[in-house]
């Protein structure tokens, strides 16, 4: 069973950048499809990005395409979310998630992920 710990959130001005990371332990990292989700106050948790086991396939929400990049380093058991040109509407708690998959794929729905981190706060000021 994998444990996930996010870090790297913070407060940034609109137009700035952040790079949260998610460190995994307790499992074989390259067996897991990884995802990033976010939840703003009063809203449901929503998909942000997903990356396949090898890193060769990615998927993004339309709202972040061209601004966010998901990546992973299987040697370090870590997944990253590079966030550029941040907007106030990106303000949320960001969660990473993991799901075991046998095939190369990405996972974009909340319900399909079995493992979640505790979240890291990202606040973008205008």
């Amino acid at each position: 069973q994998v444990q996930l710990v996010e870090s790297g959130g913070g407060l940034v001005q609109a137009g700035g950048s952040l790079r949260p990371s998610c460190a995994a332990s307790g499992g074989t990292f390259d067996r897991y499809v990884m995802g990033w989700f976010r939840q703003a106050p009063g809203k449901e948790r929503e998909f942000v990005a997903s990356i396949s086991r090898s890193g060769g396939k990615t998927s993004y929400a339309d709202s972040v395409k061209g601004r966010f990049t998901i990546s992973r380093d299987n040697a370090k058991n870590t997944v990253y979310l590079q966030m550029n040109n941040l907007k106030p509407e990106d303000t949320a708690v960001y969660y990473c998630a993991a799901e075991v998959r046998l095939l190369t794929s990405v996972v974009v729905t909340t319900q399909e992920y079995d493992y979640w981190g505790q979240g890291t706060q990202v606040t973008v000021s205008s």
Side-chain angles (χ1 to χ4, degrees), residues 27-72:
T28 304
F29 186 66
D30 62 8
R31 295 181 60 196
Y32 294 91
V33 172
M34 301 299 296
W36 284 97
F37 290 75
R38 67 186 182 186
Q39 188 166 17
K43 295 187 176 181
E44 293 187 353
R45 191 169 299 188
E46 65 175 5
F47 169 73
V48 175
S50 178
I51 188 166
S52 63
R53 291 169 53 186
S54 68
K57 188 173 183 179
T58 58
S59 180
Y60 297 92
D62 288 342
S63 58
V64 307
K65 279 182 182 176
R67 300 188 298 122
F68 291 11
T69 302
I70 188 171
S71 62
R72 66 189 294 162

Side-chain angles (χ1 to χ4, degrees), residues 6-34:
E6 301 97 333
S7 61
L11 172 64
V12 65
Q13 289 187 332
S17 298
L18 284 172
R19 192 194 189 208
S21 60
C22 172
S25 62
T28 304
F29 186 66
D30 62 8
R31 295 181 60 196
Y32 294 91
V33 172
M34 301 299 296

Side-chain angles (χ1 to χ4, degrees), residues 4 6 37 45 95-98 110-111 113-118:
L4 305 173
E6 301 97 333
F37 290 75
R45 191 169 299 188
Y95 299 90
C96 73
T110 308
Q111 297 86 340
Y113 283 93
D114 284 337
Y115 305 102
W116 293 85
Q118 83 289 348

